[in-house]
Amino acid sequence: MTTTPSAAPPFGRALCAMITPFTEAGALDLDGAGRLAERLVSEGCDGIVLSGTTGESPTTSDAEKSDLIRAVREAVGSRASVVAGVGTFDTRHTVELALAAEKAGADGLLVVAPYYSKPPQDAVEAHFREVADAAGLPLALYDIPGRTGTRIEPETLIRLAEHPRIVAVKDCSYDFLGAQKVLSRTELAYYAGCDEHNLALYAVGGAGYISTVANVVPSQLRAVLDAFEAGDTPVSARLQQRATPLIELMMSAGLPGTVTAKALLHELGLPAGPVRAPLRPAAREAVDGLLAAYQELATN
């Protein structure tokens, strides 16, 4: 027997952490963002997450973030959820971004743990509660200590789950036991934020994934969840394994996922554009390797 989540996840199951397309001159490409979001939804994404790390949130302005939400909302309509990344290391600024995202038409908010200043857990908890109290949208908390320097500890998540607008977690903690602990004691929807964990977390009651790799292979990643939901665990496992070479090259080969996703999208003739400094584009050798792994997955 297989076990699937008992309730519909708040933002869908298959979510893409979408890149932010830029023009060749480096300006925000709103037309390209709409076209890319439309493709992602038509190929299996239930939701689009904007202005996360993959979306280059550190180098986009507040106005650009709002414009991006409006463009993607217009493109996908009600066919998919639109979740806006609003987390910063400043509680006041995070609240401002949350309110702006709500006004621009987002369905939910992705709020990363405050980074760089390394606040203790009581301060982390207070930060999230202040954002949740101020905004009228449901929140997904983003636990990625490898980037922020600060965990959202399982006990903190368990307490925060009591807040009616804190409904989900994007998990990049690499603490599988901790994730299961929170799953067993709360109703939080747990999304895999590391593509290698998409099936594993789903199999123990996770909600699905928020994926960078889905920028280029949305239907292939969705097929993993669909096979598991259909009760065909061996097929689901094989599909996850087939995606592993591309996942590794995109996420664990020394380049940020933003860089690898944009490189592949460019090769495929899809909206992407350059990355903003301090990121740099992938070298030709890396692009060739990415393209070979993509073609292997996409054509078999």
Side-chain angles (χ1 to χ4, degrees), residues 23 55 64 134 161 289:
T23 67
E64 286 176 322

Side-chain angles (χ1 to χ4, degrees), residues 67-79:
D67 289 344
L68 185 64
I69 295 167
R70 284 188 282 267
V72 171
R73 174 89 283 162
E74 182 177 355
V76 305
S78 61
R79 293 174 296 144

Side-chain angles (χ1 to χ4, degrees), residues 3-259:
T3 301
T4 55
S6 58
F11 307 118
R13 291 189 169 90
L15 280 72
C16 178
M18 197 179 91
I19 61 105
T20 299
F22 299 131
T23 67
E24 289 306 314
L28 188 63
D29 179 5
L30 294 176
D31 178 69
R35 288 188 286 116
L36 182 59
E38 165 64 33
R39 172 185 177 266
L40 292 170
V41 173
S42 68
E43 295 194 15
C45 290
D46 302 320
I48 305 295
V49 178
L50 302 172
S51 298
T53 311
T54 302
E56 298 181 76
S57 59
T59 54
T60 57
S61 69
D62 292 4
E64 286 176 322
K65 289 176 173 66
S66 291
D67 289 344
L68 185 64
I69 295 167
R70 284 188 282 267
V72 171
R73 174 89 283 162
E74 182 177 355
V76 305
S78 61
R79 293 174 296 144
S81 62
V82 176
V83 180
V86 299
T88 75
F89 50 28
D90 175 356
T91 303
R92 181 175 59 181
H93 188 200
T94 302
V95 167
E96 291 171 354
L97 287 173
L99 296 175
E102 184 175 6
K103 183 177 180 180
D107 299 303
L109 306 172
L110 179 69
V111 189
V112 73
Y115 43 89
Y116 191 74
S117 54
K118 290 192 173 182
Q121 288 299 296
D122 62 339
V124 171
E125 182 176 345
H127 171 84
F128 287 129
R129 289 188 183 277
E130 186 168 339
V131 178
D133 287 343
L137 297 177
L139 271 64
L141 308 185
Y142 187 7
D143 188 17
I144 183 166
R147 287 184 182 269
T148 64
T150 301
R151 250 330 277 279
I152 313 173
E153 296 290 349
E155 292 297 336
T156 303
L157 286 168
I158 289 166
R159 290 192 299 272
L160 286 166
E162 299 169 359
H163 196 290
R165 281 195 288 276
I166 295 175
V167 300
V169 176
K170 179 182 178 183
D171 180 41
C172 286
S173 68
Y174 285 95
D175 178 6
F176 204 63
L177 180 60
Q180 291 177 79
K181 180 179 178 180
V182 179
L183 278 166
S184 71
R185 293 177 56 185
T186 75
E187 297 298 318
L188 289 172
Y190 244 76
Y191 290 94
C194 306
D195 281 275
E196 64 269 34
H197 291 174
N198 287 356
L199 176 58
L201 189 58
Y202 197 65
V204 296
Y209 56 72
I210 298 175
S211 166
T212 294
V213 178
N215 278 280
V216 293
V217 286
S219 60
Q220 288 86 346
L221 296 187
R222 176 59 184 256
V224 175
L225 302 190
D226 289 346
F228 189 84
E229 285 188 15
D232 201 335
T233 305
V235 167
S236 181
R238 285 196 296 272
L239 292 171
Q240 177 71 35
Q241 291 160 8
R242 281 180 51 202
T244 297
L246 181 62
I247 291 170
E248 182 177 16
L249 280 180
M250 286 189 67
M251 306 305 296
S252 301
L255 292 173
T258 305
V259 172

